[in-house]
Amino acid sequence: VNIMPFIMNVVSIVWISGKDYYIDEMDKKLYDSLEKVKEVLKRMYKKTSWKGRLIPRKLVDLPAMIPQENFDGRAALLFSGGLDSVTSSLY
């Protein structure tokens, strides 16, 4: 969980690098979400090569940090890399 803000800060650099980078494990929901973000960026920046990949050796299902009875299944985080977004991504 603690590495998630770091991943969100560097993943776009990984994607445009054209190289494969491996990470021991990663939250499955974060991985799936980042794949969707990558697809949006590919449509926005068609001339940019997005061939780099962040490849988790293991995908894990982390427990929800928000009680499920209070969560409607929808959430979004505009991640700027600043202190507020890093803190928000941990909760």
Side-chain angles (χ1 to χ4, degrees):
V1 173
N2 293 335
I3 196 168
M4 291 169 87
F6 175 76
I7 291 170
M8 290 184 278
N9 269 303
V10 301
V11 72
S12 58
I13 297 167
V14 169
W15 291 334
I16 63 173
S17 74
K19 298 179 181 180
D20 291 346
Y21 292 88
Y22 293 86
I23 187 169
D24 288 335
E25 64 181 37
M26 185 177 191
D27 177 56
K28 183 175 180 350
K29 289 177 186 164
L30 177 61
Y31 179 80
D32 293 340
S33 296
L34 289 176
E35 288 299 308
K36 292 176 185 177
V37 169
K38 185 178 182 181
E39 289 305 313
V40 170
L41 290 173
K42 285 167 77 172
R43 287 194 303 264
M44 289 174 59
Y45 302 101
K46 295 179 181 180
K47 293 182 181 180
T48 302
S49 173
W50 297 96
K51 296 183 189 246
R53 297 183 305 161
L54 182 62
I55 303 168
R57 290 187 173 94
K58 179 181 177 184
L59 290 174
V60 295
D61 287 315
L62 293 176
M65 297 182 83
I66 300 172
Q68 293 302 302
E69 62 272 3
N70 298 330
F71 184 59
D72 66 1
R74 300 180 303 160
L77 172 66
L78 300 175
F79 192 81
S80 65
L83 180 61
D84 293 341
S85 60
V86 169
T87 302
S88 296
S89 68
L90 292 173
Y91 294 100

